[in-house]
Amino acid sequence: MTRVLRATAAELEAALRSLRAGELVAFPTETVYGLGADAGNPAAVRRIFEVKGRPAHHPVIVHLPGAGRLREWAREVPQGALLLAERFWPGPLTLVLPRAPNVSDVVTGGQDTVALRVPSHPVAQQLLAAFQGGIAAPSANRYGRLSPTRAQHVREELGAEVKVILDGGDCQIGLESTIVAFQGRRARLLRPGAITAAQVRRVVGELAVGADEVSPRVPGSTAAHYAPATPLTVVPAAQIDSQAEALSAGGRVAVLAWRAPLAPHPDAVWIDAGRDARQYGHDLYDNLRTLDKSGCRRILVQDVPEGEAWMAVRDRLRRAAAGAGLEDSPEADAT
Ligand code: TXA
Ligand code: MG
C-alpha cells in the first residue's frame, strides 16, 4: 500500500519561503519527485541546471495548480489539448504547447513551446495552490541518473544542495509523466507514461508516436537517460536464467526479472518484480537503485512482455541500457 504523506503547515511555509527567495525545493508528485524553482524567476530556474548538472538548453516542465492557469503559459491551447487537460488533470500527463510571451527562455530551452502539467499528488497540490505561480521542475536526480520515487532518494543524491525536501511518501506511479506535444491540432506522443497512447487517442482521435524531425526536443528521449551506474543489459525473456548462470561464473550478477528463477542461482541477486505492468513500473527505479548498490558488476534485465501496458517500462529499460555505466563517458552527457 502506498502511504501518502501531507506537508505540515511549517514545512509548507519553509518551501514557500525558499521558492520566493529563488531557492530550490524538492517535492513529491504522483510520478516522481521534482526539483522545483519559481518558473517566473530565470535565475532560480538556472540553479536547477547547476544542481542537476544538466545542460542549460534542456527545457523543463512547468507545474501549475490547475488547468485554469493554462493560458498564462500557453498562447494557444488547441481543442485536443483542452480535452486532454479536462480528462487527465490533475494527473500524470504533460502537454507541450506554444509558449506565452512571458515564459522565460531558461524554462523552454529557447524553444517556442512550453511543457505544462498539473500534478495530482496532494503535497504538490498543496504547494502549487499556496504558491500560485508556476513551478518549473525536472525530476530531482542528477542528470542522466534514475528518477527518485522516495524522498530518501532525493536526500541521498541532492541533500547537500537542496535545503527543503518535502516528503510525500512513495510516488504512486513511479514513472515520469506521459508527454503529448501539439503542433497545430496534431498530437504526438513524445514520452510514454502511465496514461497510455490508447487513452490519449480516445480523447484526441489521431496520435502520432515518437519524435520526428520537427518535434520539439525531449532530452529525456535521448538514449542515455534514467540509468544506473552499473552496466545494464536487457536479455530475451527465455534466456534470463542461462545468461545469469553464465555471467555469474565471473562474479555476482544482479537480475531484474518478472518471475522467480527456474533454479536457485547462488551468485545472483535476483529481484522478481512480478507480471503486473503497473506494479513493475511503480517499483522499477527503486529496484534498479537496489541492484545498482548490490555490488554486482552487471545488471541483467529480463525483457518485458509486448503490449501497450508495458510501453512506458520498456521505454525506460531501453534508455537505462543505453545509459548505464556511462557515468564518466562524455557521450552519456553529449545531449
Ligand atoms: O513526471 C514528470 O514529468 C516529472 C515530474 C517531476 O513532473 N518531471 C520530469 O521532468 O520527468 P524531466 O525534466 O526529468 O523530464 C521532462 C521532459 C524532458 O525530457 C524535457 O526535455 C521535456 O520534458 N520537455 C520539457 N519542455 C519541453 C518542450 N518545450 N518541448 C519538448 N519537450 C519538453
Ligand atoms: Mg528526468
Side-chain angles (χ1 to χ4, degrees):
M1 226 351 239
T2 302
R3 205 160 60 98
V4 177
L5 307 169
R6 283 177 171 276
T8 64
E11 287 166 342
L12 201 59
E13 207 34 61
L16 289 171
R17 257 199 316 274
S18 289
L19 287 175
R20 288 182 187 131
E23 290 162 13
L24 304 187
V25 169
F27 64 99
T29 82
E30 68 280 19
T31 58
V32 300
Y33 275 74
L35 182 60
D38 178 355
N41 178 344
V45 179
R46 245 177 242 122
R47 180 89 187 108
I48 295 177
F49 295 92
E50 275 169 39
V51 166
K52 274 187 69 102
R54 192 189 212 195
H57 59 273
H58 281 209
V60 289
I61 297 174
V62 177
H63 297 71
L64 304 174
R69 311 299 286 270
L70 254 179
R71 290 179 197 281
E72 293 169 31
W73 298 86
R75 67 171 186 274
E76 256 170 61
V77 186
Q79 180 67 7
L82 214 51
L83 292 172
L84 287 176
E86 272 170 22
R87 172 72 183 77
F88 295 114
W89 280 355
L93 175 75
T94 296
L95 295 173
V96 174
L97 301 172
R99 71 164 168 184
N102 55 297
V103 184
S104 157
D105 274 344
V106 186
V107 167
T108 67
Q111 304 189 65
D112 192 37
T113 53
V114 62
L116 301 166
R117 162 161 131 77
V118 177
S120 65
H121 193 292
V123 173
Q125 281 281 329
Q126 272 180 300
L127 184 65
L128 286 160
F131 185 61
Q132 279 303 309
I135 299 181
S139 50
N141 51 281
R142 294 209 187 273
Y143 179 61
R145 296 263 77 97
L146 299 165
S147 295
T149 58
R150 299 167 194 256
Q152 185 54 29
H153 300 159
V154 186
R155 283 187 213 111
E156 283 169 19
E157 209 164 299
L158 302 174
E161 284 102 330
V162 182
K163 261 199 315 210
V164 180
I165 299 174
L166 296 177
D167 190 339
D170 191 12
C171 299
Q172 292 116 306
I173 292 172
L175 294 178
E176 304 80 358
S177 60
T178 304
I179 302 183
V180 177
F182 279 84
Q183 278 145 4
R185 282 197 263 152
R186 288 214 308 274
R188 178 175 290 276
L189 181 76
L190 295 184
R191 180 173 73 183
I195 293 170
T196 64
Q199 283 178 291
V200 174
R201 253 184 219 116
R202 245 172 265 141
V203 176
V204 299
E206 255 179 84
L207 176 72
V209 173
D212 68 7
E213 61 286 359
V214 291
S215 298
R217 282 176 291 119
V218 186
S221 68
T222 54
H225 240 84
Y226 314 109
T230 314
L232 179 152
T233 317
V234 178
V235 306
Q239 292 173 20
I240 190 66
D241 285 85
S242 57
Q243 293 220 17
E245 191 64 41
L247 264 180
S248 61
R252 282 190 338 141
V253 57
V255 176
L256 179 61
W258 40 260
R259 60 160 170 75
L262 299 176
H265 293 283
D267 294 315
V269 178
W270 187 294
I271 293 181
D272 171 8
R275 290 167 196 247
D276 179 76
R278 222 173 247 276
Q279 186 65 42
Y280 187 109
H282 170 270
D283 299 339
L284 178 63
Y285 290 138
D286 202 35
N287 283 336
L288 289 178
R289 274 171 199 271
T290 302
L291 294 177
D292 209 11
K293 287 185 195 159
S294 67
C296 294
R297 291 186 319 170
R298 200 166 194 88
I299 300 174
L300 295 183
V301 179
Q302 181 181 28
D303 202 1
V304 294
E306 290 296 315
E308 200 171 83
W310 290 91
M311 189 175 174
V313 164
R314 208 176 310 111
D315 168 76
R316 302 312 188 275
L317 286 176
R318 223 187 29 247
R319 295 178 202 194
L326 292 178
E327 201 163 25
D328 303 322
S329 130
E331 297 91 90
D333 286 357
T335 49

